[in-house]
Amino acid sequence: MLSVRNLAKSYGALAVLRDVSFDVAAGEILGIAGPNGSGKSTLFNVLTGIPVRADDGEIRFDGREIRNLPAPAIVAAGLVRTFQRETAFETLTSLENVLAGPLHDLRMPSADARRRAEAALDFVGFPAERIGWIAADLSVFDRKRLMIASALALGPKLCLFDEPVAGLAPPEIQAIMAILRRLRDRGTAAILVEHVLPALLGVSDRLMVLHQGVVLATGAPQDVIRDPRVIDAYLGPGRHAA
Amino acid sequence: MTRRGVVIGLAALGLLAALPFVFPVPYLRHIFILAFIYAVVASNWDLSLGYGGIFNFAHVAFFSIGVYGYGILTKLAGWSPWAALAAGGVLATLAAVLVAIPVLRLSGIYIILVTFAFAQLVLQLVVSQSGLTGGMMGMVGLPTFQIPGYNLARDGKLGYYFGALALLVVSTAFLRAFVGSRLGLAIRALRDDPDYAAARGISVARQRILTLAASAFFTGVAGAYYAAYLRIASPDAFGVSLLSLLLSILLLGGLASIYGPVVAALVLTFLSEASVDLGPWRHIAIAVVIIVVVRIWPGGLWSALRRLSS
Ligand SMILES: Nc1ncnc2c1ncn2[C@@H]1O[C@H](COP(=O)(O)OP(=O)(O)OP(=O)(O)O)[C@@H](O)[C@H]1O
Ligand SMILES: [Mg+2]
């Protein structure tokens, strides 16, 4: 479904992504781990064209090259992201936050958009009594769920999650992981960037490790976390003897 | 709109409709006609500036294009005043689309520069094409509105008073419907966070063009109405005094409400007339009032009214 080849992105002299290649199959969840600054968020940025584009490489999605498509066209193709920070349209209500995307597509009848938005809010377990609240008044957990709901309301084929559980309490982490599992059961593919390892290993079908903008390892999660290069990258060289 | 909002709106409208009969003073009507026109221009600016977050300084040019469109079409092309009134709106909308194109990829201060340059360009065009526009002298003796058998300027400008009030009502209803529509939702989302809006499939380009075009139509119509009422088209329509008046209205009324600038246009007109005796101190007095209001209620008059009434 997604096929990335030799992707590169630099900021001036700083090469943030170098020669990144990987695939995501339909319905699969690909986990991505990597130390701070390894380029995970930048990868999401260049995949979706928000707010920057790749310098080089190929991004094929559903058989189509999307690297130079405008951001809204990438969304329309079914590739939708969330942000690392729990982003929302601050002055809009929760419901409006989720409606804004679907309603922007003028071909979609507003009743359909509303049904989608309500279904998405329901899917993430967003409390019904807070759908009229202004987003700025919501808790971090609610904002994270709201951001996920607003992505799902767009009907994505592949959803990119950038640290969806960072900063949450354990029961909240469980709730988000349950959303991701339900999403997989529904057949929606996902890429999950996460520092919280149990969460990452709990839902990923495959794991990829980025380090300084380079793909260190890709494969079954249990194999990847035992890979000596991965252990080096996280703990420093020579620490994997034990 | 809440039921109470409807009641308050109708009451205000009733008061304004009764006003010219309660105080049958042509000068008062004149002041209110101008206030209604400024209210239209300022509240339409609120659409692009307040709701859209687009620092659009070409708004005054949209007004002037309505003014000169009316003058040229009626005087030189022989159009009927009513057709020229509509054309004022259409021409301003076309100008807005033209401005929107360079603005699509810019942000913040660059938008101010480009839109301001556009306004200056239109002004230069008007001043230099004196064969068409009368240059610095402007155009005088423009035809006024007639409905069969009646000149709107008769009966102490009664027709113009109600025409301007009707224009304000229609424009305000349009703006409120627009911001409440799906397009308005996308405009607000874009203002809150452009990157997040793009990530939700919202097209910055489409929304900016639509916002500017929608804010220009009634502004151009108001320009044409202004020209028909005063029977002149002059470069003053681009002037700093109009610009500063509109900015004062927006500041006093508060952004992103549409109603705020409407209320502020009426209040400022009143203040300005009530303080005529102060002579040159008048502008300073009004500035002080604005500063005090905004210090106490940073959201302007509209948020103050809302807070006081809740
Ligand atoms: N706009 C930018 N300009 C310059 N450098 C940037 C920019 N955005 C990111 N970087 C740099 O790119 C590198 C990768 O950043 P990125 O945010 O992709 O890392 P990450 O893997 O998501 O890290 P984290 O786990 O902390 O979220 C960092 O060194 C960062 O400083
Ligand atoms: Mg990151």
Side-chain angles (χ1 to χ4, degrees):
Chain A
M1 136 159 303
L2 179 73
S3 168
V4 174
R5 292 292 173 269
N6 313 110
L7 203 61
K9 174 71 197 172
S10 302
Y11 287 107
L14 178 68
V16 179
L17 294 174
R18 283 178 286 174
D19 208 23
V20 170
S21 301
F22 63 94
D23 296 280
V24 180
E28 180 185 40
I29 296 187
L30 173 69
I32 299 184
N36 292 112
S38 56
K40 304 178 300 292
S41 295
T42 304
L43 176 63
F44 280 9
N45 292 348
V46 298
L47 287 178
T48 56
I50 301 163
V52 290
R53 289 178 183 281
D55 301 329
D56 202 6
E58 262 178 43
I59 307 170
R60 294 191 81 75
F61 182 64
D62 256 357
R64 187 150 72 114
E65 175 60 54
I66 61 164
R67 176 152 82 86
N68 290 315
L69 286 187
I74 294 175
V75 171
L79 178 58
V80 180
R81 71 174 296 181
T82 67
F83 290 86
Q84 185 165 349
R85 192 172 59 82
E86 52 285 357
T87 309
F89 301 119
E90 302 292 341
T91 69
L92 305 190
T93 65
S94 307
L95 181 61
E96 285 175 329
N97 260 273
V98 184
L99 273 172
L103 274 183
H104 178 265
D105 177 1
L106 297 180
R107 288 161 308 184
M108 182 180 294
S110 37
D112 288 3
R114 183 166 279 267
R115 221 168 300 134
R116 274 190 181 213
E118 279 162 1
L121 284 164
D122 190 52
F123 190 86
V124 303
F126 193 86
E129 67 273 17
R130 296 205 275 278
I131 64 168
W133 286 27
I134 300 296
D137 297 337
L138 296 172
S139 69
V140 170
F141 180 44
D142 281 348
R143 288 164 65 95
K144 293 227 181 218
R145 289 193 283 186
L146 185 63
M147 180 168 60
I148 294 173
S150 73
L152 298 183
L154 293 162
K157 295 176 188 153
L158 172 61
C159 210
L160 312 181
F161 295 102
D162 198 349
E163 303 197 21
V165 307
L168 295 183
E172 297 167 343
I173 294 179
Q174 289 310 316
I176 300 276
M177 298 326 290
I179 294 169
L180 296 181
R181 276 192 287 269
R182 283 206 299 281
L183 205 57
R184 180 174 55 188
D185 295 343
R186 212 171 75 169
T188 306
I191 303 180
L192 173 62
V193 163
E194 195 45 76
H195 280 298
V196 179
L197 264 191
L200 189 62
L201 299 177
V203 294
S204 299
D205 298 311
R206 280 189 309 133
L207 189 62
M208 171 168 115
V209 174
L210 269 183
H211 181 52
Q212 295 178 351
V214 176
V215 177
L216 265 195
T218 315
Q222 295 313 322
D223 298 340
V224 169
I225 56 167
R226 288 196 197 92
D227 189 311
R229 288 169 305 169
V230 171
I231 298 171
D232 279 352
Y234 268 94
L235 302 177
R239 298 286 296 275
H240 53 89
Chain B
M1 205 187 248
T2 62
R3 170 174 290 166
R4 202 172 63 156
V6 173
V7 170
I8 294 173
L10 287 177
L13 201 57
L15 278 179
L16 288 174
L19 187 96
F21 303 108
V22 177
F23 302 102
V25 187
Y27 182 70
L28 190 72
R29 294 176 192 167
H30 170 71
I31 293 304
F32 269 90
I33 291 167
L34 294 181
F36 294 156
I37 292 174
Y38 296 143
V40 170
V41 179
S43 55
N44 275 273
W45 199 0
D46 191 22
L47 179 62
S48 59
L49 196 65
Y51 280 96
I54 306 170
F55 293 111
N56 161 36
F57 276 75
H59 195 73
V60 175
F62 302 158
F63 177 75
S64 323
I65 285 167
V67 169
Y68 276 94
Y70 182 84
I72 293 170
L73 288 174
T74 52
K75 256 212 135 168
L76 301 179
W79 284 38
S80 95
W82 295 110
L85 179 71
V90 173
L91 288 173
T93 306
L94 292 177
V97 173
L98 209 65
V99 178
I101 293 167
V103 161
L104 294 182
R105 300 181 146 268
L106 301 176
S107 63
I109 183 93
Y110 297 100
I111 294 183
I112 300 182
L113 292 176
V114 166
T115 52
F116 196 76
F118 176 85
Q120 290 304 307
L121 188 78
V122 177
L123 171 61
Q124 288 311 316
L125 216 61
V126 163
V127 171
S128 64
Q129 302 300 309
S130 52
L132 218 54
T133 61
M136 289 305 290
M137 306 295 296
M139 313 173 78
V140 294
L142 302 179
T144 93
F145 293 131
Q146 314 263 350
I147 39 183
Y150 187 76
N151 180 338
L152 262 61
R154 286 218 333 245
D155 298 319
K157 312 172 195 293
L158 201 60
Y160 272 106
Y161 181 91
F162 281 103
L165 183 56
L167 178 60
L168 177 58
V169 169
V170 173
S171 160
T172 305
F174 166 77
L175 290 173
R176 290 299 304 187
F178 191 84
V179 298
S181 75
R182 55 204 299 173
L183 296 175
L185 181 60
I187 286 173
R188 289 183 288 146
L190 202 55
R191 171 201 58 194
D192 280 2
D193 191 328
D195 285 338
Y196 189 45
R200 292 298 168 261
I202 293 171
S203 159
V204 179
R206 188 189 91 183
Q207 286 306 128
R208 282 200 175 156
I209 293 176
L210 277 171
T211 308
L212 287 171
S215 75
F217 182 77
F218 281 103
T219 305
V221 172
Y225 194 88
Y226 182 84
Y229 171 59
L230 296 178
R231 308 192 60 194
I232 55 169
S234 91
D236 288 347
F238 294 89
V240 176
S241 58
L242 177 62
L243 186 66
S244 61
L245 173 65
L246 292 173
L247 285 172
S248 309
I249 291 173
L250 288 176
L251 194 62
L252 182 64
L255 288 175
S257 67
I258 300 299
Y259 296 126
V262 171
V263 172
L266 301 179
V267 168
L268 262 191
T269 307
F270 245 128
L271 275 184
S272 164
E273 285 311 308
S275 59
V276 169
D277 293 342
L278 296 178
W281 290 96
R282 170 179 172 192
H283 297 294
I284 295 173
I286 291 173
V288 168
V289 170
I290 294 177
I291 290 167
V292 169
V293 168
V294 174
R295 280 287 314 195
I296 304 177
W297 299 288
L301 277 183
W302 186 248
S303 76
L305 287 174
R306 288 185 62 142
R307 202 157 320 153
L308 293 178
S309 72
S310 69

